[in-house]
Amino acid sequence: MTLLNIDGLSVRFRLRDATVQAVSDHTFAVRRGELLAIVGESGCGKSVLAHALFGLLPRNAEVSGRAILDGVDLIGCGEKRLAREIRGRRLGLVPQSPATALTPVRTGRRLLAETLRAHQRDPALADSLAEQVGLDAAALGKYPFELSGGMAQRLVTALALAPDPALLIADEPTTGLDRPLVDHTLDLLRRRCDSGGTVLLITHDLAAAERVADTVAVMYASRIVEHRPAADVFTAPAHPYTCALLNALPDRAFQPIAGHPPMLTALPAGCAFAPRCTHADGACATLPAGPPVACHHPLVTEAAA
Ligand SMILES: Nc1ncnc2c1ncn2[C@@H]1O[C@H](COP(=O)(O)OP(=O)(O)O)[C@@H](O)[C@H]1O
Ligand code: SF4
Ligand SMILES: [Mg+2]
C-alpha cells in the first residue's frame, strides 16, 4: 500500500540574476514498509527534496507539484498543519546538519524526553532510543556542544525516531560515524522497515544503499534518472550515469567519472548527462522520458519498458 505519492514535484530558487533548478519533476511513490534510497553526487538536490517534503525551504524557493503522505498534501497543506499534524507522528527528518538542529541549552536526555512527551510518548523511553542508535548513557547527559560530530548525528537520529514517525526521511544519517556505527545505523533503518515502518534514506554512499535499500532512485542534476529495485540497480544498472557511479566505487572499477555535473542554474534542454556520456548521440538533445530509466539508450532495455 502506498504511503507517499509524489507527483510532478519541482523546486526552484529564485536568485537575483539566476534560477536554481534544485528538484525537477519528481514523480514516484513509496510503499509502506519500503526503504527507498535516494542516491547521487553532492549538490544534485537530495537535501532540497527532503526539505521540500518537510516544509523547511527558505522564502526564495518555489515549489510545484504534489506530495501526498497518507492523504495529506505536504506541499499544499500549509505550515500550521505541518507543525500540528504532520511533523513528528507522521513524518520525521534526520537532518543533514545535526549541529544546527540541536537546541544548545538542553542535554541530549532532556531533548529526547521533551520530544517524547510532546508526542504523548513515555519520556522514560529516552535511554532505550539512545541505545538503539548506539549512544551511551554518558553521552546522553552531555550538552550538544560537548558531543562529537558522530554523537550529535546519533542524537538527531534518536530525536527523529522519538515520535515513531510513519515515514522517516534520513538525510545522510551516517555522516561522521565510523564503519561499525554506519552499519549499526543502516541496520536500524532496515529493521524499522521490516517491522512496518517506511524510510526514505538520502545518501551519497552507494554501499549504504546497497546494504539496506529495497529500491533506489538515482538523482543527477535535479532529476531522477533511474528508479528501480535495488538488486537490479546494483547488478545491472540501466542508466549510463548509474553505471558510471558504480564504476567509480573503490571495490569495482575505481574509475572516476570524467567531467563535472552541470550548474543547476544552466541546465540543458536535453539530457543533462550528455557531455559526460559515452553513449550520447543526437537523440540526447531532447529530454528522455522516465522513470524507471530516463535515457534514450538504456543499458538494460527491459528496465526502460
Ligand atoms: N536556499 C538556496 N538558495 C539557492 N540555492 C540553493 C539553496 N539551497 C540549496 N541550493 C542549491 O540547490 C542545489 C542542491 O542542493 P542540495 O539539495 O543541498 O544537494 P545535495 O543534498 O544533493 O548535496 C545546490 O546547487 C545548492 O547550492
Ligand atoms: S539520454 Fe543520451 S546522453 Fe543521456 S544518459 Fe542516455 S545515452 Fe547518455
Ligand atoms: Mg545533502
Side-chain angles (χ1 to χ4, degrees), residues 224-228 238-240 288-300 303-304:
I224 291 178
V225 295
E226 176 161 3
H227 182 180
R228 294 168 63 219
H239 195 283
V293 185
C295 176
H296 291 296
H297 308 296
L299 307 174
V300 180

Side-chain angles (χ1 to χ4, degrees), residues 9-39:
L9 182 67
S10 294
V11 181
R12 282 166 180 60
F13 295 105
R14 296 268 178 228
L15 307 179
R16 202 174 315 158
D17 47 8
T19 299
V20 181
Q21 281 183 244
V23 172
S24 296
D25 204 16
H26 286 200
T27 295
F28 63 88
V30 187
R31 287 176 281 99
R32 283 180 203 275
E34 179 178 346
L35 197 160
L36 167 64
I38 307 235
V39 303

Side-chain angles (χ1 to χ4, degrees), residues 72-214:
V72 179
D73 183 9
L74 302 174
I75 307 304
C77 75
E79 171 56 31
K80 265 194 192 150
R81 192 160 179 209
L82 279 174
R84 209 174 39 221
E85 292 175 35
I86 308 295
R87 293 192 197 112
R89 286 294 290 175
R90 286 170 146 184
L91 183 61
L93 175 69
V94 179
Q96 186 173 357
S97 312
T100 53
L102 293 168
T103 312
V105 293
R106 290 177 177 68
T107 63
R109 182 173 285 104
R110 186 146 167 226
L111 283 170
L112 267 175
E114 282 177 0
T115 306
L116 285 160
R117 222 176 272 120
H119 294 279
Q120 292 78 50
R121 300 193 76 202
D122 183 358
L125 289 170
D127 284 84
S128 91
L129 272 169
E131 197 186 320
Q132 279 180 47
V133 298
L135 205 57
D136 62 30
L140 210 50
K142 292 181 192 265
Y143 288 91
F145 72 89
E146 298 175 299
L147 300 175
S148 69
M151 286 174 178
Q153 181 64 64
R154 280 169 276 160
L155 178 57
V156 289
T157 301
L159 283 166
L161 289 172
D164 194 19
L167 175 65
L168 178 72
I169 303 175
D171 190 359
E172 308 281 5
T174 58
T175 308
L177 305 184
D178 57 21
R179 197 69 229 178
L181 277 170
V182 168
D183 291 348
H184 179 94
T185 302
L186 293 171
D187 294 347
L188 172 71
L189 300 179
R190 181 64 258 170
R191 283 197 304 277
R192 192 167 175 82
C193 293
D194 291 342
S195 56
T198 309
V199 172
L200 212 159
L201 168 66
I202 292 177
T203 180
H204 67 276
D205 179 359
L206 290 164
E210 187 170 19
R211 184 179 176 98
V212 292
D214 296 305

Side-chain angles (χ1 to χ4, degrees), residues 239-241 271 273-274 277 279-281 284 288 294-297:
H239 195 283
Y241 174 61
C271 175
F273 190 57
C277 181
H279 305 268
D281 64 11
C284 307
C295 176
H296 291 296
H297 308 296

Side-chain angles (χ1 to χ4, degrees), residues 42-80:
S42 180
C44 70
K46 304 181 299 298
S47 292
V48 172
L49 170 65
H51 288 174
L53 297 177
F54 211 69
L56 279 183
L57 290 171
R59 291 169 92 84
N60 67 333
E62 284 176 12
V63 190
S64 55
R66 300 192 308 164
I68 311 290
L69 175 68
D70 207 10
V72 179
D73 183 9
L74 302 174
I75 307 304
C77 75
E79 171 56 31
K80 265 194 192 150

